[in-house]
Amino acid sequence: NKRSPTITPCDANIRPIRMKRIAILGLGYIGLPTAILAAESGYSVFGYDIDKEKVATINTGKSPILEPEIQSRLLHALKKKNLKINTELEYANCFVITVPTPFHQNNTADLSYVYQAIEEVGCKLMPGNLVIIESTIPVGTTEKISSFLEEKSGLKAKKDFFLAHCPERALPGKLFQELRENDRIIGGICQKSCNLAYQFYTKFVKGCLYSTNDKSAEMVKLIENSSRDVQIAFANQVA
């Protein structure tokens, strides 16, 4: 009979925190639009991906994904030099992980891409930095990543660096609209992690931002995905 963790609206009155340089790791259906939105809101954004061909394509102003508005908005962000794309990770104030989490054959989550990205971040992590994991992950993963980052960087979580799980909620075809207008949940390993993540998202997200702990945020995303899966399965049965 443990008390349920609270999910509350983020406090809009928290003291603004200086955050200018943003690194987005993974430039797929979520990462690239997020990088563009962040660049449009005034951040200096560094997009990182290990796919050299994809990086080269984006740098020519061509989007590797089909999405309304993305071509013109990408060109504009590159032209203004608010967005830079590279295969080498830059130092930043905030690192956002948007890499895929596929399944192994036994239906467990394949977190190799997440840990590969986190290992890169650990080499660049500086005191005061924030790390945000948007990738869908099993409950308890954020806590494990916190320990992994401590070992990799030599810094202390909740004191030297901060970490939050903020799962994305968007469908292809409406990515910019949904990334901007949907409500978001911020699951921090501490309150300052939530506050820092709120400061990042509030510049371009118009939906409500809710604060909770990391495990609750992980569970919210998994329940949402499971609910959607059941609805699609039911629709297929009816068809």
mmCIF file with all atom_site columns, all heavy atoms in Angstrom, residues 34 43 96 132-134 165-168 179 184-186 196-206 209:
data_model
loop_
_atom_site.group_PDB
_atom_site.id
_atom_site.type_symbol
_atom_site.label_atom_id
_atom_site.label_alt_id
_atom_site.label_comp_id
_atom_site.label_asym_id
_atom_site.label_entity_id
_atom_site.label_seq_id
_atom_site.pdbx_PDB_ins_code
_atom_site.Cartn_x
_atom_site.Cartn_y
_atom_site.Cartn_z
_atom_site.occupancy
_atom_site.B_iso_or_equiv
_atom_site.pdbx_formal_charge
_atom_site.auth_seq_id
_atom_site.auth_comp_id
_atom_site.auth_asym_id
_atom_site.auth_atom_id
_atom_site.pdbx_PDB_model_num
ATOM 1   N N   . THR A 1 34  ? 12.741 17.793 -33.342 1.00 0.00 ? 34  THR A N   1
ATOM 2   C CA  . THR A 1 34  ? 13.032 18.414 -32.045 1.00 0.00 ? 34  THR A CA  1
ATOM 3   C C   . THR A 1 34  ? 14.198 19.385 -32.166 1.00 0.00 ? 34  THR A C   1
ATOM 4   O O   . THR A 1 34  ? 14.177 20.490 -31.601 1.00 0.00 ? 34  THR A O   1
ATOM 5   C CB  . THR A 1 34  ? 13.350 17.347 -30.980 1.00 0.00 ? 34  THR A CB  1
ATOM 6   O OG1 . THR A 1 34  ? 12.217 16.481 -30.821 1.00 0.00 ? 34  THR A OG1 1
ATOM 7   C CG2 . THR A 1 34  ? 13.678 17.979 -29.634 1.00 0.00 ? 34  THR A CG2 1
ATOM 8   N N   . TYR A 1 43  ? 17.824 28.405 -29.294 1.00 0.00 ? 43  TYR A N   1
ATOM 9   C CA  . TYR A 1 43  ? 18.968 27.631 -28.824 1.00 0.00 ? 43  TYR A CA  1
ATOM 10  C C   . TYR A 1 43  ? 20.007 27.454 -29.938 1.00 0.00 ? 43  TYR A C   1
ATOM 11  O O   . TYR A 1 43  ? 19.660 27.454 -31.128 1.00 0.00 ? 43  TYR A O   1
ATOM 12  C CB  . TYR A 1 43  ? 18.534 26.233 -28.370 1.00 0.00 ? 43  TYR A CB  1
ATOM 13  C CG  . TYR A 1 43  ? 17.707 26.196 -27.109 1.00 0.00 ? 43  TYR A CG  1
ATOM 14  C CD1 . TYR A 1 43  ? 16.395 25.743 -27.135 1.00 0.00 ? 43  TYR A CD1 1
ATOM 15  C CD2 . TYR A 1 43  ? 18.245 26.588 -25.888 1.00 0.00 ? 43  TYR A CD2 1
ATOM 16  C CE1 . TYR A 1 43  ? 15.627 25.676 -25.973 1.00 0.00 ? 43  TYR A CE1 1
ATOM 17  C CE2 . TYR A 1 43  ? 17.491 26.526 -24.725 1.00 0.00 ? 43  TYR A CE2 1
ATOM 18  C CZ  . TYR A 1 43  ? 16.188 26.072 -24.769 1.00 0.00 ? 43  TYR A CZ  1
ATOM 19  O OH  . TYR A 1 43  ? 15.427 26.017 -23.622 1.00 0.00 ? 43  TYR A OH  1
ATOM 20  N N   . VAL A 1 96  ? 20.090 15.697 -25.285 1.00 0.00 ? 96  VAL A N   1
ATOM 21  C CA  . VAL A 1 96  ? 18.788 15.053 -25.445 1.00 0.00 ? 96  VAL A CA  1
ATOM 22  C C   . VAL A 1 96  ? 18.953 13.771 -26.257 1.00 0.00 ? 96  VAL A C   1
ATOM 23  O O   . VAL A 1 96  ? 19.402 13.810 -27.405 1.00 0.00 ? 96  VAL A O   1
ATOM 24  C CB  . VAL A 1 96  ? 17.784 16.003 -26.144 1.00 0.00 ? 96  VAL A CB  1
ATOM 25  C CG1 . VAL A 1 96  ? 16.401 15.367 -26.194 1.00 0.00 ? 96  VAL A CG1 1
ATOM 26  C CG2 . VAL A 1 96  ? 17.729 17.349 -25.420 1.00 0.00 ? 96  VAL A CG2 1
ATOM 27  N N   . ILE A 1 132 ? 18.658 14.525 -20.935 1.00 0.00 ? 132 ILE A N   1
ATOM 28  C CA  . ILE A 1 132 ? 17.253 14.150 -21.087 1.00 0.00 ? 132 ILE A CA  1
ATOM 29  C C   . ILE A 1 132 ? 17.167 12.914 -21.967 1.00 0.00 ? 132 ILE A C   1
ATOM 30  O O   . ILE A 1 132 ? 17.737 12.883 -23.054 1.00 0.00 ? 132 ILE A O   1
ATOM 31  C CB  . ILE A 1 132 ? 16.437 15.287 -21.726 1.00 0.00 ? 132 ILE A CB  1
ATOM 32  C CG1 . ILE A 1 132 ? 16.391 16.511 -20.808 1.00 0.00 ? 132 ILE A CG1 1
ATOM 33  C CG2 . ILE A 1 132 ? 15.023 14.826 -22.052 1.00 0.00 ? 132 ILE A CG2 1
ATOM 34  C CD1 . ILE A 1 132 ? 15.706 17.719 -21.430 1.00 0.00 ? 132 ILE A CD1 1
ATOM 35  N N   . ILE A 1 133 ? 16.460 11.898 -21.496 1.00 0.00 ? 133 ILE A N   1
ATOM 36  C CA  . ILE A 1 133 ? 16.231 10.687 -22.287 1.00 0.00 ? 133 ILE A CA  1
ATOM 37  C C   . ILE A 1 133 ? 14.792 10.719 -22.790 1.00 0.00 ? 133 ILE A C   1
ATOM 38  O O   . ILE A 1 133 ? 13.847 10.652 -22.000 1.00 0.00 ? 133 ILE A O   1
ATOM 39  C CB  . ILE A 1 133 ? 16.468 9.416  -21.456 1.00 0.00 ? 133 ILE A CB  1
ATOM 40  C CG1 . ILE A 1 133 ? 17.864 9.435  -20.846 1.00 0.00 ? 133 ILE A CG1 1
ATOM 41  C CG2 . ILE A 1 133 ? 16.287 8.164  -22.318 1.00 0.00 ? 133 ILE A CG2 1
ATOM 42  C CD1 . ILE A 1 133 ? 18.041 8.461  -19.706 1.00 0.00 ? 133 ILE A CD1 1
ATOM 43  N N   . GLU A 1 134 ? 14.619 10.845 -24.099 1.00 0.00 ? 134 GLU A N   1
ATOM 44  C CA  . GLU A 1 134 ? 13.277 10.811 -24.691 1.00 0.00 ? 134 GLU A CA  1
ATOM 45  C C   . GLU A 1 134 ? 12.932 9.413  -25.200 1.00 0.00 ? 134 GLU A C   1
ATOM 46  O O   . GLU A 1 134 ? 11.759 9.094  -25.386 1.00 0.00 ? 134 GLU A O   1
ATOM 47  C CB  . GLU A 1 134 ? 13.169 11.825 -25.828 1.00 0.00 ? 134 GLU A CB  1
ATOM 48  C CG  . GLU A 1 134 ? 13.175 13.276 -25.364 1.00 0.00 ? 134 GLU A CG  1
ATOM 49  C CD  . GLU A 1 134 ? 12.644 14.229 -26.423 1.00 0.00 ? 134 GLU A CD  1
ATOM 50  O OE1 . GLU A 1 134 ? 12.335 13.762 -27.543 1.00 0.00 ? 134 GLU A OE1 1
ATOM 51  O OE2 . GLU A 1 134 ? 12.532 15.425 -26.138 1.00 0.00 ? 134 GLU A OE2 1
ATOM 52  N N   . HIS A 1 165 ? 13.813 11.728 -17.559 1.00 0.00 ? 165 HIS A N   1
ATOM 53  C CA  . HIS A 1 165 ? 13.177 10.977 -18.657 1.00 0.00 ? 165 HIS A CA  1
ATOM 54  C C   . HIS A 1 165 ? 11.936 11.743 -19.085 1.00 0.00 ? 165 HIS A C   1
ATOM 55  O O   . HIS A 1 165 ? 11.027 11.983 -18.286 1.00 0.00 ? 165 HIS A O   1
ATOM 56  C CB  . HIS A 1 165 ? 12.792 9.571  -18.201 1.00 0.00 ? 165 HIS A CB  1
ATOM 57  C CG  . HIS A 1 165 ? 12.080 8.779  -19.256 1.00 0.00 ? 165 HIS A CG  1
ATOM 58  N ND1 . HIS A 1 165 ? 12.573 8.634  -20.537 1.00 0.00 ? 165 HIS A ND1 1
ATOM 59  C CD2 . HIS A 1 165 ? 10.910 8.090  -19.229 1.00 0.00 ? 165 HIS A CD2 1
ATOM 60  C CE1 . HIS A 1 165 ? 11.744 7.892  -21.246 1.00 0.00 ? 165 HIS A CE1 1
ATOM 61  N NE2 . HIS A 1 165 ? 10.722 7.552  -20.479 1.00 0.00 ? 165 HIS A NE2 1
ATOM 62  N N   . CYS A 1 166 ? 11.921 12.169 -20.358 1.00 0.00 ? 166 CYS A N   1
ATOM 63  C CA  . CYS A 1 166 ? 10.814 12.968 -20.894 1.00 0.00 ? 166 CYS A CA  1
ATOM 64  C C   . CYS A 1 166 ? 10.367 12.343 -22.209 1.00 0.00 ? 166 CYS A C   1
ATOM 65  O O   . CYS A 1 166 ? 10.789 12.784 -23.290 1.00 0.00 ? 166 CYS A O   1
ATOM 66  C CB  . CYS A 1 166 ? 11.244 14.412 -21.111 1.00 0.00 ? 166 CYS A CB  1
ATOM 67  S SG  . CYS A 1 166 ? 11.986 15.182 -19.659 1.00 0.00 ? 166 CYS A SG  1
ATOM 68  N N   . PRO A 1 167 ? 9.547  11.296 -22.157 1.00 0.00 ? 167 PRO A N   1
ATOM 69  C CA  . PRO A 1 167 ? 9.179  10.582 -23.388 1.00 0.00 ? 167 PRO A CA  1
ATOM 70  C C   . PRO A 1 167 ? 8.404  11.443 -24.359 1.00 0.00 ? 167 PRO A C   1
ATOM 71  O O   . PRO A 1 167 ? 7.593  12.284 -23.953 1.00 0.00 ? 167 PRO A O   1
ATOM 72  C CB  . PRO A 1 167 ? 8.320  9.415  -22.863 1.00 0.00 ? 167 PRO A CB  1
ATOM 73  C CG  . PRO A 1 167 ? 7.802  9.893  -21.542 1.00 0.00 ? 167 PRO A CG  1
ATOM 74  C CD  . PRO A 1 167 ? 8.876  10.756 -20.970 1.00 0.00 ? 167 PRO A CD  1
ATOM 75  N N   . GLU A 1 168 ? 8.678  11.230 -25.651 1.00 0.00 ? 168 GLU A N   1
ATOM 76  C CA  . GLU A 1 168 ? 7.983  11.993 -26.684 1.00 0.00 ? 168 GLU A CA  1
ATOM 77  C C   . GLU A 1 168 ? 6.605  11.401 -26.954 1.00 0.00 ? 168 GLU A C   1
ATOM 78  O O   . GLU A 1 168 ? 6.353  10.227 -26.683 1.00 0.00 ? 168 GLU A O   1
ATOM 79  C CB  . GLU A 1 168 ? 8.814  12.024 -27.978 1.00 0.00 ? 168 GLU A CB  1
ATOM 80  C CG  . GLU A 1 168 ? 8.559  10.892 -28.951 1.00 0.00 ? 168 GLU A CG  1
ATOM 81  C CD  . GLU A 1 168 ? 9.012  9.532  -28.435 1.00 0.00 ? 168 GLU A CD  1
ATOM 82  O OE1 . GLU A 1 168 ? 9.898  9.495  -27.570 1.00 0.00 ? 168 GLU A OE1 1
ATOM 83  O OE2 . GLU A 1 168 ? 8.472  8.504  -28.920 1.00 0.00 ? 168 GLU A OE2 1
ATOM 84  N N   . LEU A 1 179 ? 4.668  17.753 -31.261 1.00 0.00 ? 179 LEU A N   1
ATOM 85  C CA  . LEU A 1 179 ? 5.799  18.049 -30.387 1.00 0.00 ? 179 LEU A CA  1
ATOM 86  C C   . LEU A 1 179 ? 5.633  19.406 -29.714 1.00 0.00 ? 179 LEU A C   1
ATOM 87  O O   . LEU A 1 179 ? 6.112  19.617 -28.591 1.00 0.00 ? 179 LEU A O   1
ATOM 88  C CB  . LEU A 1 179 ? 7.109  18.022 -31.179 1.00 0.00 ? 179 LEU A CB  1
ATOM 89  C CG  . LEU A 1 179 ? 7.602  16.643 -31.628 1.00 0.00 ? 179 LEU A CG  1
ATOM 90  C CD1 . LEU A 1 179 ? 8.798  16.781 -32.564 1.00 0.00 ? 179 LEU A CD1 1
ATOM 91  C CD2 . LEU A 1 179 ? 7.968  15.772 -30.432 1.00 0.00 ? 179 LEU A CD2 1
ATOM 92  N N   . ARG A 1 184 ? 3.434  17.151 -21.887 1.00 0.00 ? 184 ARG A N   1
ATOM 93  C CA  . ARG A 1 184 ? 4.617  16.304 -21.693 1.00 0.00 ? 184 ARG A CA  1
ATOM 94  C C   . ARG A 1 184 ? 4.791  16.021 -20.214 1.00 0.00 ? 184 ARG A C   1
ATOM 95  O O   . ARG A 1 184 ? 4.457  16.841 -19.358 1.00 0.00 ? 184 ARG A O   1
ATOM 96  C CB  . ARG A 1 184 ? 5.880  16.987 -22.211 1.00 0.00 ? 184 ARG A CB  1
ATOM 97  C CG  . ARG A 1 184 ? 5.940  17.161 -23.711 1.00 0.00 ? 184 ARG A CG  1
ATOM 98  C CD  . ARG A 1 184 ? 7.334  17.573 -24.137 1.00 0.00 ? 184 ARG A CD  1
ATOM 99  N NE  . ARG A 1 184 ? 8.217  16.428 -24.112 1.00 0.00 ? 184 ARG A NE  1
ATOM 100 C CZ  . ARG A 1 184 ? 8.818  15.927 -25.201 1.00 0.00 ? 184 ARG A CZ  1
ATOM 101 N NH1 . ARG A 1 184 ? 8.614  16.478 -26.382 1.00 0.00 ? 184 ARG A NH1 1
ATOM 102 N NH2 . ARG A 1 184 ? 9.613  14.904 -25.108 1.00 0.00 ? 184 ARG A NH2 1
ATOM 103 N N   . ILE A 1 185 ? 5.353  14.846 -19.938 1.00 0.00 ? 185 ILE A N   1
ATOM 104 C CA  . ILE A 1 185 ? 5.687  14.493 -18.567 1.00 0.00 ? 185 ILE A CA  1
ATOM 105 C C   . ILE A 1 185 ? 7.197  14.527 -18.409 1.00 0.00 ? 185 ILE A C   1
ATOM 106 O O   . ILE A 1 185 ? 7.937  14.073 -19.283 1.00 0.00 ? 185 ILE A O   1
ATOM 107 C CB  . ILE A 1 185 ? 5.112  13.113 -18.181 1.00 0.00 ? 185 ILE A CB  1
ATOM 108 C CG1 . ILE A 1 185 ? 5.230  12.907 -16.676 1.00 0.00 ? 185 ILE A CG1 1
ATOM 109 C CG2 . ILE A 1 185 ? 5.771  11.978 -18.948 1.00 0.00 ? 185 ILE A CG2 1
ATOM 110 C CD1 . ILE A 1 185 ? 4.307  11.833 -16.147 1.00 0.00 ? 185 ILE A CD1 1
ATOM 111 N N   . ILE A 1 186 ? 7.659  15.104 -17.298 1.00 0.00 ? 186 ILE A N   1
ATOM 112 C CA  . ILE A 1 186 ? 9.082  15.238 -17.007 1.00 0.00 ? 186 ILE A CA  1
ATOM 113 C C   . ILE A 1 186 ? 9.386  14.430 -15.752 1.00 0.00 ? 186 ILE A C   1
ATOM 114 O O   . ILE A 1 186 ? 8.930  14.778 -14.659 1.00 0.00 ? 186 ILE A O   1
ATOM 115 C CB  . ILE A 1 186 ? 9.468  16.714 -16.799 1.00 0.00 ? 186 ILE A CB  1
ATOM 116 C CG1 . ILE A 1 186 ? 9.217  17.513 -18.080 1.00 0.00 ? 186 ILE A CG1 1
ATOM 117 C CG2 . ILE A 1 186 ? 10.911 16.843 -16.348 1.00 0.00 ? 186 ILE A CG2 1
ATOM 118 C CD1 . ILE A 1 186 ? 9.401  19.017 -17.910 1.00 0.00 ? 186 ILE A CD1 1
ATOM 119 N N   . LEU A 1 196 ? 15.274 21.960 -14.580 1.00 0.00 ? 196 LEU A N   1
ATOM 120 C CA  . LEU A 1 196 ? 16.119 22.202 -15.748 1.00 0.00 ? 196 LEU A CA  1
ATOM 121 C C   . LEU A 1 196 ? 15.429 21.735 -17.033 1.00 0.00 ? 196 LEU A C   1
ATOM 122 O O   . LEU A 1 196 ? 15.457 22.433 -18.053 1.00 0.00 ? 196 LEU A O   1
ATOM 123 C CB  . LEU A 1 196 ? 17.460 21.495 -15.588 1.00 0.00 ? 196 LEU A CB  1
ATOM 124 C CG  . LEU A 1 196 ? 18.458 22.125 -14.616 1.00 0.00 ? 196 LEU A CG  1
ATOM 125 C CD1 . LEU A 1 196 ? 19.610 21.153 -14.332 1.00 0.00 ? 196 LEU A CD1 1
ATOM 126 C CD2 . LEU A 1 196 ? 19.013 23.427 -15.171 1.00 0.00 ? 196 LEU A CD2 1
ATOM 127 N N   . ALA A 1 197 ? 14.820 20.554 -16.983 1.00 0.00 ? 197 ALA A N   1
ATOM 128 C CA  . ALA A 1 197 ? 14.120 20.036 -18.160 1.00 0.00 ? 197 ALA A CA  1
ATOM 129 C C   . ALA A 1 197 ? 12.938 20.933 -18.523 1.00 0.00 ? 197 ALA A C   1
ATOM 130 O O   . ALA A 1 197 ? 12.668 21.178 -19.707 1.00 0.00 ? 197 ALA A O   1
ATOM 131 C CB  . ALA A 1 197 ? 13.646 18.602 -17.913 1.00 0.00 ? 197 ALA A CB  1
ATOM 132 N N   . TYR A 1 198 ? 12.243 21.439 -17.503 1.00 0.00 ? 198 TYR A N   1
ATOM 133 C CA  . TYR A 1 198 ? 11.143 22.373 -17.748 1.00 0.00 ? 198 TYR A CA  1
ATOM 134 C C   . TYR A 1 198 ? 11.650 23.612 -18.481 1.00 0.00 ? 198 TYR A C   1
ATOM 135 O O   . TYR A 1 198 ? 11.030 24.084 -19.437 1.00 0.00 ? 198 TYR A O   1
ATOM 136 C CB  . TYR A 1 198 ? 10.481 22.764 -16.432 1.00 0.00 ? 198 TYR A CB  1
ATOM 137 C CG  . TYR A 1 198 ? 9.487  23.895 -16.572 1.00 0.00 ? 198 TYR A CG  1
ATOM 138 C CD1 . TYR A 1 198 ? 8.198  23.651 -17.049 1.00 0.00 ? 198 TYR A CD1 1
ATOM 139 C CD2 . TYR A 1 198 ? 9.840  25.197 -16.251 1.00 0.00 ? 198 TYR A CD2 1
ATOM 140 C CE1 . TYR A 1 198 ? 7.292  24.686 -17.196 1.00 0.00 ? 198 TYR A CE1 1
ATOM 141 C CE2 . TYR A 1 198 ? 8.938  26.239 -16.393 1.00 0.00 ? 198 TYR A CE2 1
ATOM 142 C CZ  . TYR A 1 198 ? 7.661  25.981 -16.867 1.00 0.00 ? 198 TYR A CZ  1
ATOM 143 O OH  . TYR A 1 198 ? 6.776  27.006 -17.014 1.00 0.00 ? 198 TYR A OH  1
ATOM 144 N N   . GLN A 1 199 ? 12.789 24.136 -18.043 1.00 0.00 ? 199 GLN A N   1
ATOM 145 C CA  . GLN A 1 199 ? 13.361 25.316 -18.689 1.00 0.00 ? 199 GLN A CA  1
ATOM 146 C C   . GLN A 1 199 ? 13.678 25.046 -20.158 1.00 0.00 ? 199 GLN A C   1
ATOM 147 O O   . GLN A 1 199 ? 13.508 25.923 -21.007 1.00 0.00 ? 199 GLN A O   1
ATOM 148 C CB  . GLN A 1 199 ? 14.635 25.744 -17.950 1.00 0.00 ? 199 GLN A CB  1
ATOM 149 C CG  . GLN A 1 199 ? 14.412 26.313 -16.565 1.00 0.00 ? 199 GLN A CG  1
ATOM 150 C CD  . GLN A 1 199 ? 13.785 27.696 -16.598 1.00 0.00 ? 199 GLN A CD  1
ATOM 151 O OE1 . GLN A 1 199 ? 14.037 28.479 -17.510 1.00 0.00 ? 199 GLN A OE1 1
ATOM 152 N NE2 . GLN A 1 199 ? 12.963 28.000 -15.617 1.00 0.00 ? 199 GLN A NE2 1
ATOM 153 N N   . PHE A 1 200 ? 14.138 23.838 -20.460 1.00 0.00 ? 200 PHE A N   1
ATOM 154 C CA  . PHE A 1 200 ? 14.434 23.500 -21.856 1.00 0.00 ? 200 PHE A CA  1
ATOM 155 C C   . PHE A 1 200 ? 13.169 23.456 -22.696 1.00 0.00 ? 200 PHE A C   1
ATOM 156 O O   . PHE A 1 200 ? 13.079 24.093 -23.754 1.00 0.00 ? 200 PHE A O   1
ATOM 157 C CB  . PHE A 1 200 ? 15.162 22.160 -21.928 1.00 0.00 ? 200 PHE A CB  1
ATOM 158 C CG  . PHE A 1 200 ? 15.244 21.591 -23.317 1.00 0.00 ? 200 PHE A CG  1
ATOM 159 C CD1 . PHE A 1 200 ? 15.963 22.236 -24.315 1.00 0.00 ? 200 PHE A CD1 1
ATOM 160 C CD2 . PHE A 1 200 ? 14.582 20.414 -23.643 1.00 0.00 ? 200 PHE A CD2 1
ATOM 161 C CE1 . PHE A 1 200 ? 16.028 21.724 -25.604 1.00 0.00 ? 200 PHE A CE1 1
ATOM 162 C CE2 . PHE A 1 200 ? 14.638 19.891 -24.929 1.00 0.00 ? 200 PHE A CE2 1
ATOM 163 C CZ  . PHE A 1 200 ? 15.364 20.546 -25.914 1.00 0.00 ? 200 PHE A CZ  1
ATOM 164 N N   . TYR A 1 201 ? 12.166 22.712 -22.243 1.00 0.00 ? 201 TYR A N   1
ATOM 165 C CA  . TYR A 1 201 ? 10.977 22.474 -23.063 1.00 0.00 ? 201 TYR A CA  1
ATOM 166 C C   . TYR A 1 201 ? 10.049 23.676 -23.164 1.00 0.00 ? 201 TYR A C   1
ATOM 167 O O   . TYR A 1 201 ? 9.372  23.859 -24.180 1.00 0.00 ? 201 TYR A O   1
ATOM 168 C CB  . TYR A 1 201 ? 10.190 21.280 -22.525 1.00 0.00 ? 201 TYR A CB  1
ATOM 169 C CG  . TYR A 1 201 ? 10.811 19.946 -22.829 1.00 0.00 ? 201 TYR A CG  1
ATOM 170 C CD1 . TYR A 1 201 ? 11.336 19.158 -21.811 1.00 0.00 ? 201 TYR A CD1 1
ATOM 171 C CD2 . TYR A 1 201 ? 10.909 19.480 -24.137 1.00 0.00 ? 201 TYR A CD2 1
ATOM 172 C CE1 . TYR A 1 201 ? 11.915 17.931 -22.078 1.00 0.00 ? 201 TYR A CE1 1
ATOM 173 C CE2 . TYR A 1 201 ? 11.482 18.256 -24.416 1.00 0.00 ? 201 TYR A CE2 1
ATOM 174 C CZ  . TYR A 1 201 ? 11.989 17.478 -23.387 1.00 0.00 ? 201 TYR A CZ  1
ATOM 175 O OH  . TYR A 1 201 ? 12.573 16.268 -23.657 1.00 0.00 ? 201 TYR A OH  1
ATOM 176 N N   . THR A 1 202 ? 10.012 24.493 -22.111 1.00 0.00 ? 202 THR A N   1
ATOM 177 C CA  . THR A 1 202 ? 9.011  25.568 -22.085 1.00 0.00 ? 202 THR A CA  1
ATOM 178 C C   . THR A 1 202 ? 9.220  26.601 -23.189 1.00 0.00 ? 202 THR A C   1
ATOM 179 O O   . THR A 1 202 ? 8.293  27.337 -23.520 1.00 0.00 ? 202 THR A O   1
ATOM 180 C CB  . THR A 1 202 ? 9.004  26.258 -20.699 1.00 0.00 ? 202 THR A CB  1
ATOM 181 O OG1 . THR A 1 202 ? 7.820  27.053 -20.580 1.00 0.00 ? 202 THR A OG1 1
ATOM 182 C CG2 . THR A 1 202 ? 10.230 27.160 -20.517 1.00 0.00 ? 202 THR A CG2 1
ATOM 183 N N   . LYS A 1 203 ? 10.389 26.642 -23.791 1.00 0.00 ? 203 LYS A N   1
ATOM 184 C CA  . LYS A 1 203 ? 10.648 27.608 -24.861 1.00 0.00 ? 203 LYS A CA  1
ATOM 185 C C   . LYS A 1 203 ? 9.961  27.238 -26.168 1.00 0.00 ? 203 LYS A C   1
ATOM 186 O O   . LYS A 1 203 ? 9.765  28.092 -27.027 1.00 0.00 ? 203 LYS A O   1
ATOM 187 C CB  . LYS A 1 203 ? 12.154 27.766 -25.084 1.00 0.00 ? 203 LYS A CB  1
ATOM 188 C CG  . LYS A 1 203 ? 12.856 28.505 -23.954 1.00 0.00 ? 203 LYS A CG  1
ATOM 189 C CD  . LYS A 1 203 ? 14.280 28.862 -24.297 1.00 0.00 ? 203 LYS A CD  1
ATOM 190 C CE  . LYS A 1 203 ? 14.357 29.979 -25.308 1.00 0.00 ? 203 LYS A CE  1
ATOM 191 N NZ  . LYS A 1 203 ? 15.734 30.469 -25.516 1.00 0.00 ? 203 LYS A NZ  1
ATOM 192 N N   . PHE A 1 204 ? 9.613  25.952 -26.356 1.00 0.00 ? 204 PHE A N   1
ATOM 193 C CA  . PHE A 1 204 ? 8.955  25.595 -27.618 1.00 0.00 ? 204 PHE A CA  1
ATOM 194 C C   . PHE A 1 204 ? 7.755  24.664 -27.461 1.00 0.00 ? 204 PHE A C   1
ATOM 195 O O   . PHE A 1 204 ? 7.056  24.385 -28.438 1.00 0.00 ? 204 PHE A O   1
ATOM 196 C CB  . PHE A 1 204 ? 9.955  24.975 -28.605 1.00 0.00 ? 204 PHE A CB  1
ATOM 197 C CG  . PHE A 1 204 ? 10.614 23.705 -28.149 1.00 0.00 ? 204 PHE A CG  1
ATOM 198 C CD1 . PHE A 1 204 ? 10.046 22.471 -28.417 1.00 0.00 ? 204 PHE A CD1 1
ATOM 199 C CD2 . PHE A 1 204 ? 11.825 23.736 -27.467 1.00 0.00 ? 204 PHE A CD2 1
ATOM 200 C CE1 . PHE A 1 204 ? 10.662 21.293 -28.014 1.00 0.00 ? 204 PHE A CE1 1
ATOM 201 C CE2 . PHE A 1 204 ? 12.455 22.569 -27.066 1.00 0.00 ? 204 PHE A CE2 1
ATOM 202 C CZ  . PHE A 1 204 ? 11.867 21.342 -27.342 1.00 0.00 ? 204 PHE A CZ  1
ATOM 203 N N   . VAL A 1 205 ? 7.465  24.176 -26.253 1.00 0.00 ? 205 VAL A N   1
ATOM 204 C CA  . VAL A 1 205 ? 6.292  23.332 -26.024 1.00 0.00 ? 205 VAL A CA  1
ATOM 205 C C   . VAL A 1 205 ? 5.171  24.192 -25.452 1.00 0.00 ? 205 VAL A C   1
ATOM 206 O O   . VAL A 1 205 ? 5.355  24.869 -24.437 1.00 0.00 ? 205 VAL A O   1
ATOM 207 C CB  . VAL A 1 205 ? 6.615  22.174 -25.053 1.00 0.00 ? 205 VAL A CB  1
ATOM 208 C CG1 . VAL A 1 205 ? 5.341  21.408 -24.683 1.00 0.00 ? 205 VAL A CG1 1
ATOM 209 C CG2 . VAL A 1 205 ? 7.616  21.217 -25.684 1.00 0.00 ? 205 VAL A CG2 1
ATOM 210 N N   . LYS A 1 206 ? 4.004  24.187 -26.120 1.00 0.00 ? 206 LYS A N   1
ATOM 211 C CA  . LYS A 1 206 ? 2.859  24.973 -25.682 1.00 0.00 ? 206 LYS A CA  1
ATOM 212 C C   . LYS A 1 206 ? 1.909  24.170 -24.795 1.00 0.00 ? 206 LYS A C   1
ATOM 213 O O   . LYS A 1 206 ? 1.064  24.742 -24.111 1.00 0.00 ? 206 LYS A O   1
ATOM 214 C CB  . LYS A 1 206 ? 2.092  25.507 -26.895 1.00 0.00 ? 206 LYS A CB  1
ATOM 215 C CG  . LYS A 1 206 ? 2.944  26.335 -27.862 1.00 0.00 ? 206 LYS A CG  1
ATOM 216 C CD  . LYS A 1 206 ? 3.647  27.470 -27.179 1.00 0.00 ? 206 LYS A CD  1
ATOM 217 C CE  . LYS A 1 206 ? 4.512  28.255 -28.149 1.00 0.00 ? 206 LYS A CE  1
ATOM 218 N NZ  . LYS A 1 206 ? 5.332  29.279 -27.459 1.00 0.00 ? 206 LYS A NZ  1
ATOM 219 N N   . LEU A 1 209 ? 3.291  21.009 -19.030 1.00 0.00 ? 209 LEU A N   1
ATOM 220 C CA  . LEU A 1 209 ? 4.449  20.221 -18.642 1.00 0.00 ? 209 LEU A CA  1
ATOM 221 C C   . LEU A 1 209 ? 4.238  19.736 -17.218 1.00 0.00 ? 209 LEU A C   1
ATOM 222 O O   . LEU A 1 209 ? 4.058  20.539 -16.296 1.00 0.00 ? 209 LEU A O   1
ATOM 223 C CB  . LEU A 1 209 ? 5.723  21.055 -18.751 1.00 0.00 ? 209 LEU A CB  1
ATOM 224 C CG  . LEU A 1 209 ? 6.065  21.537 -20.163 1.00 0.00 ? 209 LEU A CG  1
ATOM 225 C CD1 . LEU A 1 209 ? 7.159  22.604 -20.124 1.00 0.00 ? 209 LEU A CD1 1
ATOM 226 C CD2 . LEU A 1 209 ? 6.515  20.373 -21.038 1.00 0.00 ? 209 LEU A CD2 1
#
